[in-house]
Amino acid sequence: MDGIADMGGTPGWGPVHPPRADEPVFAEPWQGRATALAILAGRLAGRNLDAFRHAVERLDRAAYLDQGYFGRWLNAAELMLVEGGVLAPGEIDARARDLRDRPVEAPPEPARPDAPAPAWPAGPGSLRTIEAAPAFAVGQRVRTRNISPPGHTRLPRYARGHTGVVEVVQPAAVFPDTHAHFQGEHPQYVYSVRFDSHELWGEDADSFAVTAELFEDYLEAGS
Amino acid sequence: MTTPGGAPSAALRTAALEQLLVERGLVDPRMVDAFIANYETNVGPLNGAKVVARAWTDPDYRGRLLAEGTAAIKELGFGGAQGEHIVVVENTPTTHNVVVCTLCSCYPWPVLGLPPSWYKDPAYRARMVREPRTVLAEMGLELGDDVQITVRDSTSEVRWLVLPERPAGTEHLSEAELVPLITRDAMVGVAKVAAP
């Protein structure tokens, strides 16, 4: 879906922040806890990794940006838990105000379905073995479909409707566009497609290449 | 309507979330502690540095690493979540690979740990696929015009690891002596490995 998360090539973000060698993994204690809780929350709410990404993508601009990367995970965890019936809307905020000694009436706990026991570490990844042969071969020109699906997708906006060359046929994997919405895994081959910068950004662009991993359903034979 | 005290901070909301899930018997705080301890102490770029140092000193291993990254990395004991399929690409004097994830912040956790703040920054995610030479220069890496840049946008579950160039003047160093030279930033492709 076309949301704030799809940032490739978008303007207005300003300068990059140069690396610091001594940066801690978690600058503040809550950041580590939010990360672990978000991973656990996905399981509690019965969400897979693709559904988690879709939850992140549906955050509004403030929820996505204002508390940085870890705030994004925290807010997506809340969204998944509310949608999964584990928490009531507003329950986290009410408890947080309570913790700050400003008690407000908490919403009633939802009648939650029997949640699966939390499992950690992660279950099986997204790789799958399929019987079909890859539709495209290394060296072949392919064109990305110019589509803007309403739900989750891993086809970035900047790469839509462009022609590139298959550089690597990667293993088949679960298709995020359906898996995020519990419509099945639909595993298919993934292709690392190499795009010339001028194809993506026009004649005046710097000269370089971009590769993106694209699912077979995103591609058609190019000319 | 104004809210008393303003909206709760992310730290407070995280504490609230944990408290609610613990009270309901859904989360054991020790699992949260274990996750944090694991990524703060065990899983980090030192793993990737060991992979690179082995590749620099063992040509057979280097060949396996470039052909079948996941399997070669597993030989050194590294794998797991966010590392189910790792592809290794080599930087040379004339070709430079740099990794980004424009859609979120996908990163090869088993070999590099959790991503650093700059990798998750909107400016990095937005600009790297559009003006990599400029962005790399802002980050302190000036590349000559004869160097071909390939930006690897990690849009699926493929995770990229850059095999940096071994710096000149390190021929006499052992694998173990090379490991401390190899930085996270070089294995993402925003820096080169400096000679000691």
Side-chain angles (χ1 to χ4, degrees), chain B residues 178-194:
Chain B
L178 288 165
V179 168
L181 307 181
I182 299 158
T183 63
R184 169 196 70 200
D185 304 339
M187 293 182 281
V188 182
V190 300
K192 291 190 179 222
V193 176

Side-chain angles (χ1 to χ4, degrees), chain B residues 9 13 22 50 60-61 76 85 92 98 103-105 128 132 141 143 148 154 179 181 189 194 196:
Chain B
S9 67
R13 292 179 61 240
V22 170
K50 289 175 180 170
D60 288 342
Y61 183 78
L76 301 195
H85 184 60
T92 73
V98 57
L103 295 173
C104 40
S105 296
M128 187 51 88
L141 179 61
L143 294 174
Q148 291 212 318
S154 194
V179 168
L181 307 181

Side-chain angles (χ1 to χ4, degrees), chain A residues 4 30-31 33-35 37-39 41-42 45 51-84 87-90 92-93 96, chain B residues 7-14 17:
Chain A
I4 187 166
W30 72 268
Q31 297 177 338
R33 303 202 84 74
T35 304
L37 289 169
I39 292 170
F52 170 63
R53 291 194 179 125
H54 187 53
V56 175
E57 289 166 0
R58 285 180 290 143
L59 299 175
D60 65 29
R61 191 181 176 83
Y64 191 89
L65 287 178
D66 289 357
Q67 292 142 350
Y69 177 79
F70 297 104
R72 209 170 286 166
W73 279 50
L74 172 67
N75 294 326
E78 179 180 25
L79 181 58
M80 288 189 297
L81 290 166
V82 169
E83 289 180 345
L87 294 181
I92 293 178
D93 266 23
Chain B
S9 67
L12 209 52
R13 292 179 61 240
T14 302
L17 171 60

Side-chain angles (χ1 to χ4, degrees), chain A:
Chain A
M1 82 181 241
D2 294 345
I4 187 166
D6 189 354
M7 290 182 161
T10 56
W13 299 106
V16 294
H17 299 288
R20 267 182 47 198
D22 58 349
E23 182 186 291
V25 176
F26 301 112
E28 298 175 44
W30 72 268
Q31 297 177 338
R33 303 202 84 74
T35 304
L37 289 169
I39 292 170
L40 294 168
R43 286 155 208 280
L44 291 170
R47 265 55 183 170
N48 58 52
L49 177 62
D50 297 307
F52 170 63
R53 291 194 179 125
H54 187 53
V56 175
E57 289 166 0
R58 285 180 290 143
L59 299 175
D60 65 29
R61 191 181 176 83
Y64 191 89
L65 287 178
D66 289 357
Q67 292 142 350
Y69 177 79
F70 297 104
R72 209 170 286 166
W73 279 50
L74 172 67
N75 294 326
E78 179 180 25
L79 181 58
M80 288 189 297
L81 290 166
V82 169
E83 289 180 345
V86 180
L87 294 181
E91 210 175 351
I92 293 178
D93 266 23
R95 178 60 64 94
R97 285 167 200 277
D98 227 16
L99 289 174
R100 208 175 50 187
D101 296 326
R102 292 179 188 278
V104 294
E105 192 177 344
E109 182 181 342
R112 136 177 88 76
D114 289 338
W120 187 82
S126 68
L127 298 181
R128 297 291 182 268
T129 303
I130 59 173
E131 291 188 3
F136 308 107
V138 170
Q140 185 175 353
R141 287 172 69 79
V142 289
R143 186 169 180 84
T144 50
R145 296 174 63 201
N146 193 0
I147 50 173
S148 177
H152 182 63
T153 188
R154 297 295 285 185
L155 172 57
R157 254 178 296 185
Y158 78 84
R160 292 178 194 162
H162 287 295
T163 299
V165 175
V166 174
E167 183 178 284
V168 186
V169 180
Q170 304 284 4
V174 168
F175 188 46
D177 301 42
T178 54
H179 195 228
H181 305 288
F182 313 106
Q183 294 163 352
E185 292 196 344
H186 299 286
Q188 52 190 272
Y189 286 101
V190 173
Y191 303 84
S192 294
V193 178
R194 175 178 285 266
F195 299 96
D196 184 87
S197 58
H198 303 100
E199 164 72 13
L200 296 177
W201 308 114
E203 287 177 14
D204 296 335
D206 293 343
S207 291
F208 60 97
V210 176
T211 68
E213 278 74 58
L214 300 170
F215 286 82
E216 197 161 280
D217 276 8
Y218 300 157
L219 299 173
E220 53 197 21
S223 50

